[in-house]
Amino acid sequence: MKAMGLSPEAVERVSRLWGKSAARHGGRTHLLLGHLLDTAAVAGVMWDWYVSAALRRRLDEISGGRGRLWFMWVCGIHDCGKACPAFQAMDAAEAAPVLAAGLTWGRLPAKRWRHDVAGAVLLRPRLVAEWGGEEAAGWVWPLVAGHHGTFPSAAALSPPRGAQGRGAAWEEAQRAVVDVFTRAVGFEDLADVRPVGSLRKAEQLALSGLIVMADWIASDSSEFPGLAEAGLISFAEAQRRAESAWERLRLRGGWRDLALPQNPLDPLTCRLGVQPRASQRELVERAWSMPVPGLLVAEAPMGEGKTKAALAAAEVLAARFGLDGVFVAMPTQATSDPMYEQVLQWVRTFDPELESQVALLHGRRRFNTWWRAIWDGKPRPDGEGCGCGDEGHHDATGQADDDFGAIDEDAEYGMAQARPSTDRARADGPAYWFLGDKRGLLTAFAVGTVDHLLHAATRTRHVMLRFAGLAGKVVVVDEVHAADVYMRQFLVEALRWLGQAGVPVVLLSATLPPAQRQLFVDAYLSGVLGTADVHQGVPEPAGYPCVTVAYGVGGRAVAETSRQAVRTWRESAPVRLSWLPDMDHAGKLVAAAVREAVAGGGVALVVVNQVARAQAIYRDLREGGFDGVLHLLHARLCAAHRADRTAQCLHLMGPQAGDDRPKRMVVVATQLAEQSFDVDADVLITDLAPTDLLLQRIGRLHRHSGTSRPAAHRVPRVMVTGVAPGRDGTPRFLRASELIYGKWSLLRAASLVSEAAGALTASDAGGPAAQGWSIPADVPDLVARAYGNTEICPTGWNEAGAWEHWQAKEQAREKRAEEYLLCRRREWALPTLEGLHYAGSRAASEEQLDAVVRDGDPTVEVVVIRRSSGGYRAVDGTWLGVHGEVDEDEVTDRLMGGTVRLPPRLTDAAQAELRPLPGWAGRPWLRYRSALVLEEDGSRLLGTDRVSYDDVLGLVVERETR
């Protein structure tokens, strides 16, 4: 400061401005300049060890080759707004030396003046003046104004009287803070910082997230203890502190400049050890051929190996375009767990140390044994993995009854510490900092529910952190067809932002309607080109499987698809369809048909749309003395029972079953069996569902080559139930099915099934069909017809009326989604982040995020507890004590194994009546969990429902009769 010619008074004043108070920073005051330099130094280490090559390249471009220096400056300058009375007056003890140095203020207004906005007010006029205009300043000041999670509009940069500071002393001090910091970091002066170009809006959002990350790391008082004397502060000291903190926190990026594979197919053959199928080869070759980052949409039959091909393509894309990791988005927790284990195996082949950089992002990751082994230092599981997770199904209310668990992984109910206890901090352990609030996606490699991707497209606080976690990665979205019209709004928004940020995206589906394919391509290209309405027609694929690519070159949109038919790995086979008319919730006809189907042996899979119906069918089979292996699977089984049962089914019906495959077996399941459930059934009985979901269920039929089957099951057979003919010939559907899927999609599915199974009549009883479907050859045409514009239902079914009703509901859902989309349509082409959080008070809180991206009634997760003489027991009988005390991690694990999600209709009653047990107050995993305490008879009244838990049937809910 003296070398720069500041007056002694100015030096004294700047040396008194505080950035972190002793009361909130480990007992030691930290001066403002110290915190700015700490943050800049952290940014320097992030540049060296964390920031992707792609973003480093862009920052070099816009700074004239000084990307590292510019990145340090923009991260460090974030808190310059603390040099104002509104902030300096917040702590009386810290304010006293500031006042004594001559920086005074009168009575401050009651309205709070935030230091992030104050920083923009302080910096903006100087940037405009010294950078020669608004253009460069216009996109930089929002990075300062938004570092606490929301981006204000320019209209908000109007401080209350006196809050910003008045008079020559304040003006001199504020200028000095900016100038001294700028010189200390390494620039000549503020004019020297001027960028020579600008980042695109999505790149600005990613940069903003990295600024927040640097600030949060530098704000850790245990790593950056306070320095209250200006003489102790220097950039060299800040760099030493930052390097030491980075090492202790074990922070790192992913691949760090991944080398190109030596041979084009090495990512498949060498890395993943697969003999490439034609569809896998096509996807990887497309990843090699794209001249710039873009979108790849891979459509291939169930069991084709799409996810392995996507990982191989991700390696190619990362190496070619400078990405540093991968995020794999799955539809549910159930599908996330096995994918997590697959990604673990994959990253080990690059470097065994990368294993500790793979995050599993969902609310029940505690039950994944590989997660526990790596992140909690527990013993490693035997075998290949655990197969645990959550299975999705839909409740009769029409809401998804799966714990998709998108947000509560971050802070583990606000209690998880970002730092491990000493015994957990292993030399080869992971970076626990990433377990902190909102940080999961910042891990180099992440697998989690698709909600994480959708959240990065919501107008919510700290959305920039989520987006920064995606922007340096290749993003893979599996089962992309599973997003309904509401979720699709956020997926489309995310694709726009990712396209503009130059993030390669790989979408995978077995049953993608052509209109959705076009929608995703247009969304990604609108981001690439920076305009709201882009339509680049996707050519008709030459066959199925196929790969579509979309990218922009020189301001021109390109969309291509497989020009030649790609052979599927297994030949198409006829699937026989027949009707089994049944509208009875008890499912007695279904149970009878199952018995008949496997009377001579075989494995049957029954998939129904409602838990109570699944329980009733299972009960009928069990009480009728079914002679064979019998399993029930649905999402109202507690976590431990569900995990065990899923693992058993995969063992007995999975690809490695061999001689363990039972001679006679029935699995009764809900919608969990639609996707990523790698089992092989001889015969399928399924409630009617929309065509694409019906085809997903059929994908569990005759799935594995080499399976030994009884002669009666040589041809795969499907019986479609949950439907019956009406008096006028129009099909009638289960109420649960209609609530979930809507009448229009069910009518069209019924029409397509009728073409293969004959007309639906009351006399149908599961007889052989006149013809069937050829699977997978017929899949694209069936899906295209199911979701096309042409009427396909017989006259008299009133398809047009059902369509109008469906359209009205879909449009209403779209409108609800728009309230939370990150950017308004008319503002998509605006060049900066200014005003991004318009109507900020309406932005969803962290707790509301799940409901924001999934249009459904809220649900509650509880832990099933049994009241016992003198205290409580866990669902497995483990004694808990008089008040539910839990003293060991092992007991906590067993207790948490009793976690179950209640159906939506019980939410109000659960919130009103249920609380954690008193003995859970000191346990981070339990203190916010409600206990569903069942009385000694095994049940309890919850609202107007009688609730019980049966170890086999799961949660049983019955309306209490008065």
Side-chain angles (χ1 to χ4, degrees), residues 341 345 348 369-370 380-386:
E341 290 156 30
Q345 293 172 17
R348 285 188 206 116
T369 51
W370 277 105
R380 287 178 174 266
D382 295 326
E384 294 300 312
C386 71

Side-chain angles (χ1 to χ4, degrees), residues 639-941:
H641 293 156
R642 187 167 55 248
D644 289 346
R645 220 165 293 171
T646 302
Q648 289 174 38
C649 290
L650 291 171
H651 172 69
L652 296 174
M653 299 170 66
Q656 311 301 325
D659 294 339
D660 290 337
R661 183 180 171 89
K663 299 296 181 215
R664 184 182 290 106
M665 178 174 177
V666 174
V667 176
V668 183
T670 51
Q671 286 95 325
L672 69 93
E674 278 174 6
Q675 53 206 9
S676 299
F677 187 50
D678 194 9
V679 297
D680 182 335
D682 297 324
V683 60
L684 171 69
I685 300 178
T686 172
D687 279 347
L688 185 71
T691 307
D692 54 333
L693 303 182
L694 200 57
L695 290 165
Q696 289 285 342
R697 297 176 188 186
I698 292 172
R700 314 305 124 190
L701 199 55
H702 287 227
R703 184 179 177 90
H704 304 137
S705 57
T707 301
S708 176
R709 307 181 199 281
H713 296 299
R714 291 285 159 78
V715 176
R717 189 157 58 99
V718 180
M719 286 180 260
V720 181
T721 186
V723 59
R727 277 174 295 189
D728 57 355
T730 304
R732 294 182 298 120
F733 309 114
L734 288 168
R735 181 170 176 272
S737 301
E738 255 192 72
L739 284 170
I740 297 163
Y741 302 120
K743 190 172 184 178
W744 176 74
S745 61
L746 292 174
L747 283 173
R748 289 174 79 87
S751 177
L752 292 171
V753 172
S754 294
E755 293 176 8
L760 174 65
T761 65
S763 60
D764 284 323
Q771 61 183 88
W773 288 340
S774 182
I775 303 295
D778 288 346
V779 169
D781 182 60
L782 287 167
V783 174
R785 292 179 64 203
Y787 291 98
N789 297 321
T790 308
E791 287 197 12
I792 61 173
C793 296
T795 307
W797 283 19
N798 191 22
E799 182 182 354
W803 160 255
E804 287 174 13
H805 180 72
W806 183 80
Q807 269 291 88
K809 286 188 72 172
E810 297 293 272
Q811 287 167 3
R813 297 179 76 200
E814 282 185 25
K815 194 146 189 68
R816 282 200 299 276
E818 281 176 14
E819 293 180 19
Y820 295 110
L821 290 179
L822 183 51
C823 191
R824 286 185 287 198
R825 190 175 187 80
R826 63 181 177 275
E827 295 174 351
W828 171 243
L830 295 182
T832 81
L833 296 170
E834 186 241 320
L836 188 70
H837 284 84
Y838 65 93
S841 60
R842 296 184 64 197
S845 68
E846 193 73 9
E847 292 72 26
Q848 294 170 311
L849 268 180
D850 278 339
V852 166
V853 298
R854 292 186 186 263
D855 186 25
D857 293 332
T859 57
V860 173
E861 196 174 63
V862 298
V863 181
V864 179
I865 299 295
R866 302 189 192 279
R867 194 184 297 278
S868 185
S869 177
Y872 302 95
R873 292 188 183 274
V875 75
D876 69 349
T878 302
W879 173 249
L880 301 177
V882 177
H883 303 292
E885 298 88 343
V886 178
D887 298 324
E888 301 173 14
D889 277 354
E890 184 182 346
V891 176
T892 300
D893 287 348
R894 298 177 75 174
L895 180 62
M896 293 290 286
T899 303
V900 69
R901 187 163 289 275
L902 300 178
R905 82 178 200 224
L906 295 179
T907 298
D908 289 344
Q911 290 176 336
E913 299 176 30
L914 304 184
R915 297 288 180 272
L917 292 182
W920 296 356
R923 304 294 294 186
W925 276 89
L926 294 170
R927 63 181 301 174
Y928 296 112
R929 294 273 189 178
S930 291
L932 178 70
V933 179
L934 304 178
E935 301 303 327
E936 293 190 46
D937 69 351
S939 74
R940 67 163 290 156
L941 199 61

Side-chain angles (χ1 to χ4, degrees), residues 615 632 634 636-638 948-956:
Q615 290 170 326
L632 173 66
H634 57 75
R636 286 194 219 151
L637 293 167
C638 71
S948 60
Y949 188 85
D950 180 274
D951 287 351
V952 177
L953 295 174
L955 192 76
V956 179

Side-chain angles (χ1 to χ4, degrees), residues 99-234:
L99 289 164
L103 289 173
T104 60
W105 51 84
R107 182 176 179 181
L108 292 170
K111 182 184 176 185
R112 187 177 169 218
W113 180 237
R114 288 173 21 192
H115 73 263
D116 47 357
V117 184
V121 171
L122 184 159
L123 204 56
R124 185 186 181 199
R126 288 200 61 189
L127 296 184
V128 172
E130 298 183 42
W131 287 2
E134 182 68 44
E135 185 178 348
W139 68 267
V140 172
W141 72 256
L143 300 175
V144 173
H147 81 265
H148 271 264
T150 59
F151 296 99
S153 65
L157 306 187
S158 179
R161 184 177 174 85
Q164 189 75 11
R166 289 181 294 173
W170 272 110
E171 185 178 339
E172 184 182 34
Q174 288 168 345
R175 288 186 68 87
V177 166
V178 173
D179 291 342
V180 170
F181 165 75
T182 299
R183 178 76 70 87
V185 169
F187 283 106
E188 286 293 317
D189 51 30
L190 190 58
D192 190 31
V193 183
R194 183 183 186 277
V196 298
S198 60
L199 294 178
R200 308 183 83 193
K201 185 160 63 175
E203 295 168 329
Q204 295 167 31
L205 190 65
L207 174 58
S208 174
L210 296 177
I211 293 170
V212 175
M213 179 178 174
D215 179 26
W216 285 10
I217 293 171
S219 296
D220 184 337
S221 61
S222 61
E223 300 295 345
F224 296 87
L227 299 173
E229 297 295 328
L232 300 174
I233 293 169
S234 70

Side-chain angles (χ1 to χ4, degrees), residues 287-307:
W288 278 107
S289 69
M290 280 196 304
V292 292
L295 174 73
L296 296 100
V297 185
E299 298 169 64
M302 295 70 78
E304 186 78 13
K306 293 186 290 294
T307 49

